[in-house]
Amino acid sequence: MTEAGYTTAARTSEFAFVAQESLAIPMFSVLAQDGTACCGADLSVVEQTVALRIYQAMLFTRVLDERMVAAQRQGRISFYLTSTGEEAASVASAAALSDQDMLMAQYREQGALALRGFSSEQFMNQLFSNELDLGKGRQMPVHYGCKALHYMTVSSPLATQIPQAVGYAYGQKLAAGEHVTLCYFGEGAASEGDFHAALNFAAVLRAPVIFFCRNNGYAISTPAEEQYAGDGIAARGVGYGLQTIRVDGNDALAVYLATQKARAYAIEHCAPVLIEAMSYRLGAHSTSDDPSGYRSKDEEQKWREYDPLVRLRAWLYRQQWWSEAEDKALDESLRAEMLAAMKVAEKIPKPKLRELVTDVYDTPSVELRRQQEDLEQHLKRYPEHYPRTAGRA
Amino acid sequence: MQMNLLQAVNNALDLAMASQSKMICFGEDVGHFGGVFRATSGLQEKYGRERCFNTPLCEQGIIGFANGLAAQGSVAVAEIQFGDYIFPAFDQIVNESAKFRYRSGNEFNVGGLTIRTPYGGGIAGGLYHSQSPEAYFTHTPGLKVVVPRNPYQAKGLLLAAIRDPNPVLFLEPKRIYRASVGEVPEGDYELPLGKAELVREGSDVTLLAWGAQMEAIEKAAELAQAEGISCEIIDLRSLQPWDADTVCDSVIKTGRLVVNHEAPRTSGFGAEIVATVQERCFLHLESPITRVTGLDTPFPLVHEAEYMPDHLKTFEAIKQAVRF
């Protein structure tokens, strides 16, 4: 303890450990599953355009996920990850930000990117690794990134984006542009050293960053109770000296309102905030995973009753801001849109061979050019063995 | 004016911060204290706590933070207190800094990042204050790796590294931080990255090293000179990318090559140089290329002098090469 801590801590001669139960953090919730306000919440602050924007992006994400899992099963793409059951967490948090705030995601936040306006065509170009993919076909499907939409390209190693978000936010602070960075990660990623480094750095260096933990119950097959002990990820935020809130992650309006407050706090105080959104991953970890090996159908079924889309839709119906007919029409048009985009994207050629050596550095080194020339010579000799690049140097 | 290598590093950081308002330097103890070696002395006083500051003790945090800062558009100069402690940050450097531009299709990059770290032995620092980790990083496309040999080189190369649009690992040979003193221009100048320097011309054998080991090969060349052997001396300066053309031109001229580095031999950067030179200069070689390196042991404390690939070991290698 520092001298300051030594002198400021209250003294007691009564022995007691501090138990986690005495510090249990409650969950902020405003909407019941039937679409009525709960917990005495006042929902008049939510604007119609915002609520509809959130809902439509959530539906977009649900449809995209369903279509792409089917496409993976048909062998049209190699890999996919759904965010089924967690759409409210990513979409509603992003909706509470300015569109110029930075988003640094893990890999299950396609909803936030959809909300920012990433089109079905852009999703498909990435998923099919064609030459219009902004990432030039270098990463697996679902590693989206888009500078124009302030969405940092996703990296596979877990949690690496969390300390990066602190650095990004620190730069925003010095630029004095009144922008924040919001960083998504799962409760599994919160076990990595990068998470702990990030929270400590953010608190000490006073960076306007919002850490957004999607606690969805499972890290691949490892359930949360085998991932951490104690009062969840939120308790760690408190421990590191962050303003912290636990929110119902299946309640889009609670997520929206909490993130709005978090953003205001981060900007006003130039300090970090942690949000732990409690939810459940209804789908598999990825298309390479089979959850029947580690959880029961009953468990999944129970969580289907908390479906965030159903909850928000019920509220919108009650508000008379949305109707069943509109819902059906949007659902159908999204399905048609995805299918059409997919058909176009899979016919677009793969990135050109020269993209293999660009962007390693700002310009290819002498050695890299030498290697590229050697490769081109070889491909000319055996074009039939390299169908993706034949004749497309 | 006369400066030692540390003062040259400090001077380069000062000039870079003065010329770029977005340049920020940070690391463990680098703030008011100026770093354990005092490389950042006076910068916090001059540029404020927001641009030069201490971080918590966490290397993965420092480089993770630096990656984000650089991606945002700042010029991030991070210090890792000893090269030996860079490994907790290995993932952030190898998987993140190095691949940021490539993996995003150039949507984002961390070109503004420079990682400075003191490295190498000769300070009685034992296992964990003496390592030479360069080879781990030269194996990673996307990074540049640079090592200066004296104050003049340090200032010019560091300014170039800070302004290079790619992430650069800048390894500072701490053995000569204070011992190496020389004339350094007060003004701004840069030395090219990726370019070796022909330090001395000779005709019988090419000697190649970088950083503090340049002293060893220069001393060995003096000994060889007394025996009538003419050595050509090259400072590689930049290990990734490295200047194979300058090295090969020299080997074609002399027909012999002795590579010296302090890091352990197996999979050391010397192995890469030897492989490339034999590929390109095979018919010009008069003798096998030899390596004078550290042993394949952790860096020792007591037997440091014995462990080091010093001038005498280099001298012996020169004689063997010439008399093959």
Side-chain angles (χ1 to χ4, degrees), chain A residues 134 136 138-139 146-147 151-153 155 160 163-164 167-168 170-171 174 194 356 358-362 370, chain B residues 24 50 53 58 60 62 64-65 68-69 72 91-92 96 100 102-105 107-108 142-143 165-166 280:
Chain A
L134 295 175
K136 301 180 186 169
R138 289 166 184 161
Q139 290 206 81
C146 180
K147 192 178 177 74
Y151 194 93
M152 180 68 73
T153 303
S155 168
T160 53
Q164 291 169 11
Y168 202 99
Y170 190 89
L174 295 197
D194 275 327
L356 192 61
T358 58
D359 305 328
V360 180
Y361 296 95
D362 62 319
R370 197 189 306 272
Chain B
I24 296 162
E50 286 195 325
F53 52 85
C58 181
Q60 74 182 119
I62 292 170
F65 177 89
L69 191 61
Q72 182 271 338
D91 181 49
Q92 281 288 347
E96 302 293 316
F100 228 95
Y102 194 76
R103 70 149 181 252
S104 70
E107 286 285 287
F108 300 96
L143 294 176
N166 298 284
R280 292 214 217 153

Side-chain angles (χ1 to χ4, degrees), chain A residues 58 63 76 84 121 126 145 169 184 188 213 231 257 289 291 300:
Chain A
M58 285 169 66
V63 173
R76 294 162 85 172
T84 307
E121 288 80 9
Q126 199 285 331
Y184 294 108
C213 177
D231 188 25
L257 293 170
D289 170 49
E300 274 182 68

Side-chain angles (χ1 to χ4, degrees), chain A residues 77-114:
Chain A
I77 57 170
S78 59
F79 177 81
Y80 194 74
L81 279 155
T82 73
S83 67
T84 307
E86 298 177 71
E87 295 92 342
S90 62
V91 173
S93 53
L97 305 176
S98 144
D99 278 351
Q100 275 85 53
D101 289 338
M102 192 65 191
L103 289 177
M104 294 179 69
Q106 190 168 313
Y107 45 58
R108 208 182 294 285
E109 291 89 6
Q110 52 267 50
L113 189 54

Side-chain angles (χ1 to χ4, degrees), chain B residues 275-298:
Chain B
T276 301
V277 172
Q278 78 81 23
E279 200 171 84
R280 292 214 217 153
C281 310
F282 186 69
L283 292 176
H284 299 274
L285 289 170
E286 304 285 347
S287 68
I289 307 167
T290 51
R291 286 178 286 165
V292 183
T293 68
L295 307 184
D296 284 353
T297 68

Side-chain angles (χ1 to χ4, degrees), chain B residues 127-191:
Chain B
L127 303 176
Y128 296 120
H129 296 82
S130 307
Q131 293 174 67
S132 296
E134 67 268 23
Y136 296 100
F137 299 101
T138 58
H139 194 56
T140 302
L143 294 176
K144 290 191 176 182
V145 180
V146 176
V147 189
R149 73 171 186 278
N150 64 27
Y152 173 78
Q153 296 284 323
K155 181 174 171 181
L157 290 170
L158 182 53
L159 280 168
I162 291 169
R163 292 159 183 168
D164 189 89
N166 298 284
V168 181
L169 178 61
F170 193 80
L171 297 168
E172 298 169 3
K174 61 180 174 288
R175 177 166 88 230
I176 56 170
Y177 255 162
R178 292 195 167 80
S180 180
V181 179
E183 193 61 32
V184 177
E186 276 182 68
D188 203 318
Y189 65 94
E190 294 178 25
L191 295 172

Side-chain angles (χ1 to χ4, degrees), chain B residues 121-274:
Chain B
I123 59 151
L127 303 176
Y128 296 120
H129 296 82
S130 307
Q131 293 174 67
S132 296
E134 67 268 23
Y136 296 100
F137 299 101
T138 58
H139 194 56
T140 302
L143 294 176
K144 290 191 176 182
V145 180
V146 176
V147 189
R149 73 171 186 278
N150 64 27
Y152 173 78
Q153 296 284 323
K155 181 174 171 181
L157 290 170
L158 182 53
L159 280 168
I162 291 169
R163 292 159 183 168
D164 189 89
N166 298 284
V168 181
L169 178 61
F170 193 80
L171 297 168
E172 298 169 3
K174 61 180 174 288
R175 177 166 88 230
I176 56 170
Y177 255 162
R178 292 195 167 80
S180 180
V181 179
E183 193 61 32
V184 177
E186 276 182 68
D188 203 318
Y189 65 94
E190 294 178 25
L191 295 172
L193 306 187
K195 195 90 191 88
E197 191 191 20
L198 186 62
V199 174
R200 183 204 288 186
E201 293 203 47
S203 55
D204 297 330
V205 56
T206 301
L207 308 184
L208 176 64
W210 50 87
Q213 285 308 104
M214 287 302 294
E215 264 190 343
I217 63 170
E218 285 179 313
K219 267 166 116 176
E222 302 285 327
L223 295 175
Q225 184 84 43
E227 303 218 351
I229 302 169
S230 164
C231 299
E232 179 143 307
I233 298 179
I234 294 176
D235 174 9
L236 200 55
R237 294 200 293 199
S238 173
L239 277 61
Q240 174 65 285
W242 71 284
D243 186 359
D245 289 346
T246 295
V247 175
C248 289
D249 286 349
S250 173
V251 174
I252 287 167
K253 180 174 126 193
T254 65
R256 298 178 184 86
L257 175 64
V258 174
V259 180
N260 179 305
H261 65 63
E262 202 174 301
R265 171 169 306 218
T266 301
S267 301
F269 194 65
E272 177 59 38
I273 295 166
V274 172

